[in-house]
């Protein structure tokens, strides 16, 4: 007789367990669930649906986090009715809050939001000119020390920045489409968090729930932690650009765009920090060498603190080394472009969770 096929007996992560009873899956069902999830993730990257996927996870976790905190409804409506009312209110807050923020933002800074791609195109053009004029911006003694080959490198960098600026000229529609995908994903995540769970599920459905649970746990550890790191970094950068530099009579151009870039790039571990350092320092150099030196010193200071947070929060939770993270980000960027930089840490953390659950690593 043939021995029975091995079964997947690993339960979902505690924070994401579902009400339905968990039944072990056979090897065939487990393989089918892995193939379906892998195809879904590839489809997300191929069709540019990453903002929607991230917001699905964000909406789900925010709703689940908010629901128990609406304690007033739970006290007034005992039992299951109170729990359902709290979940419905949490989902409504998650779905309506972005609309209110957009209305508020449009009333205060409509041109910045609508014309964001155009502003970043102008910023890239500005950086290209700054790189080409590097010798003129630096003090004479320092400029004289630059090797002759530096001029060719300057032209290459300036050409690359100019090409990226040209690509952004066509990005207006993609920008609005990404925002739409993100909001639809938020709606899906909030509704999925308050759905009624059926007690009867087939083996494939239960295996897929387990895959989704591992992916959600990886999102909670990677993206949620990186979000707070990026928010902390952005707050300090905004204080530096808006309050500290003006005290020295130094004001950088494109300050709103730089602050927004700091947050968005901060969501990408390691590489995002380096990008912000280079861009803000170059913009500071366009003002004066002293401004560039002040920007560089400040950014190195806060990013050193951020590296410690990254190592503690992200590295220890996911058991990922810096070399692993950089390797997968490099490969993902080569295959999928900038979206690969954002997706690589999350997808790799999910892969490691699956491998650890199968006791393969």
């Amino acid at each position: 007789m043939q021995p029975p096929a091995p079964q997947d007996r690993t339960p979902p992560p505690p924070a994401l367990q579902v009400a339905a009873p968990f039944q072990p899956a056979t090897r065939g069902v487990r393989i089918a669930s892995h193939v379906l999830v892998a195809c879904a993730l590839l489809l997300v990257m191929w069709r540019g649906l990453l903002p929607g996927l991230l917001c699905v996870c964000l909406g789900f976790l925010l709703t689940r986090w908010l629901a128990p905190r609406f304690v007033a409804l739970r006290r007034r409506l005992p039992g299951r009715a109170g729990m359902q009312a709290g979940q419905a209110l949490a989902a409504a807050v998650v779905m309506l809050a972005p609309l209110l923020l957009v209305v508020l933002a449009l009333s205060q800074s409509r041109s910045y939001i609508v014309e964001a791609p155009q502003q970043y195109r102008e910023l890239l053009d500005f950086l290209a000119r700054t790189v080409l004029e590097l010798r003129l911006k630096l003090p004479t003694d320092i400029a004289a020390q630059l090797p002759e080959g530096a001029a060719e490198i300057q032209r290459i960098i300036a050409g690359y920045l100019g090409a990226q600026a040209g690509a952004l000229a066509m990005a207006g529609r993609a920008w609005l489409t990404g925002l739409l995908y993100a909001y639809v994903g938020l709606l899906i995540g909030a509704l999925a968090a308050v759905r009624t769970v059926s007690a009867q599920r087939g083996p494939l459905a239960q295996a897929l729930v387990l895959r989704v649970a591992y992916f959600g746990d990886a999102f909670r550890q990677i993206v949620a932690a990186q979000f707070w790191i990026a928010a902390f970094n952005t707050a300090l950068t905004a204080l530096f650009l808006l309050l500290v530099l003006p005290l020295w009579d130094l004001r950088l151009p494109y300050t709103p765009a730089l602050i927004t870039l700091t947050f968005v790039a901060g969501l990408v571990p390691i590489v995002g920090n380096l990008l912000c350092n280079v861009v803000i320092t170059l913009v500071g150099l366009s003002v004066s060498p002293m401004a560039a030196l002040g920007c560089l010193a400040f950014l190195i200071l806060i990013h050193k603190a951020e590296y410690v947070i990254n190592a503690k929060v992200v590295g220890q939770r996911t058991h990922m080394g810096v070399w692993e993270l950089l390797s997968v980000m490099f490969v993902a960027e080569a295959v999928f472009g900038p979206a690969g930089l954002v997706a690589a840490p999350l997808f790799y953390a999910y892969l490691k969770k699956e491998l650890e659950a199968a006791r393969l690593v």
Side-chain angles (χ1 to χ4, degrees):
M1 293 180 62
Q2 294 292 332
Q7 296 179 330
D8 186 358
R9 299 181 180 274
T10 307
L16 296 166
Q17 284 182 358
V18 294
F22 175 76
Q23 299 294 331
T26 63
R27 181 180 179 183
V29 170
R30 197 166 65 247
I31 293 175
S33 67
H34 282 115
V35 170
L36 288 174
V37 170
C39 290
L41 294 179
L42 287 175
L43 181 64
V44 164
M45 300 302 297
W46 177 45
R47 301 303 299 174
L49 299 175
L50 183 62
L53 174 64
L54 296 180
C55 285
V56 167
C57 299
L58 182 62
F60 184 91
L61 292 178
L62 277 177
T63 304
R64 286 290 177 92
W65 181 79
L66 285 174
R69 284 159 177 78
F70 291 114
V71 292
L73 283 176
R74 294 171 66 90
R75 290 172 181 171
R76 292 179 183 176
L77 301 173
R80 187 172 181 81
M83 181 179 66
Q84 290 177 342
Q87 289 179 341
L89 183 57
V93 169
V94 171
M95 290 188 289
L96 294 178
L99 293 179
L100 296 177
L101 290 175
V102 167
V103 170
L104 179 62
L106 288 176
S107 64
Q108 300 296 323
S109 54
R110 180 178 181 277
S111 61
Y112 175 73
I113 294 176
V114 175
E115 300 175 3
Q118 176 63 25
Q119 296 190 32
Y120 282 103
R121 179 192 177 189
E122 294 175 1
L123 174 60
L124 286 174
D125 283 331
F126 181 79
L127 290 175
R129 292 195 302 271
T130 302
V131 170
L132 285 175
E133 299 169 357
L134 184 61
R135 290 180 182 270
L136 301 177
K137 302 291 184 181
L138 292 173
T140 307
D141 294 340
I142 298 179
Q145 301 300 319
L146 292 177
E148 291 299 326
E152 182 62 27
I153 297 175
Q154 290 172 239
R155 284 192 290 271
I156 293 174
I157 296 174
Y160 173 79
L161 292 173
Q164 297 303 314
L168 273 180
M170 307 299 295
R173 182 177 178 183
W175 166 256
L176 296 177
T177 302
L179 289 179
L180 177 62
Y181 285 162
Y183 183 66
V184 172
L186 202 66
L187 294 180
I188 295 173
L191 293 174
V194 298
R195 75 195 187 285
T196 301
V197 180
S198 173
Q200 299 297 325
R201 279 192 178 136
L204 181 58
Q206 292 196 11
L208 287 174
V209 166
L210 183 58
R211 307 281 82 78
V212 172
Y214 283 131
F215 187 85
D217 201 37
F219 176 88
R220 181 177 57 83
Q221 291 180 341
I222 288 285
V223 178
Q226 199 64 36
F227 174 85
W228 291 115
I229 293 171
F232 169 77
N233 185 13
T234 304
L236 291 182
T237 303
L239 289 174
F240 178 73
L241 296 179
L242 298 175
L243 297 179
V244 177
L245 283 181
L247 293 178
W248 299 340
D249 292 327
L250 298 173
R251 289 175 175 81
L252 300 190
Y254 303 102
T255 295
L258 291 175
I259 293 173
T260 306
L261 176 66
T262 301
F263 178 75
V264 175
L267 297 175
V268 182
I270 303 173
V271 177
N273 294 338
L274 298 176
L275 174 65
C276 290
N277 279 351
V278 172
V279 171
I280 296 179
T281 302
L282 281 176
V283 174
L285 183 61
S286 70
V287 176
S288 72
M290 185 59 66
L293 185 61
C295 290
L296 184 60
F298 172 78
L299 292 170
I300 289 176
L301 179 64
I302 64 172
H303 288 160
K304 285 298 183 183
E306 191 173 320
Y307 289 145
V308 175
I309 298 174
N310 261 309
K312 295 292 184 181
V313 176
V314 178
Q316 288 185 358
R317 287 184 180 183
T318 59
H319 310 292
M320 288 194 300
V322 174
W323 69 270
E324 293 178 88
L325 206 54
L326 287 175
S327 299
V328 296
M329 289 170 69
F330 174 78
V331 174
E333 195 277 336
V335 177
F336 298 110
L341 286 176
V342 179
L346 173 60
F347 287 10
Y348 185 64
Y350 164 65
L351 175 62
K352 291 204 73 170
K353 284 186 175 296
E354 291 284 7
L355 294 176
E356 288 172 357
R359 297 180 176 87
L360 295 177
V361 295

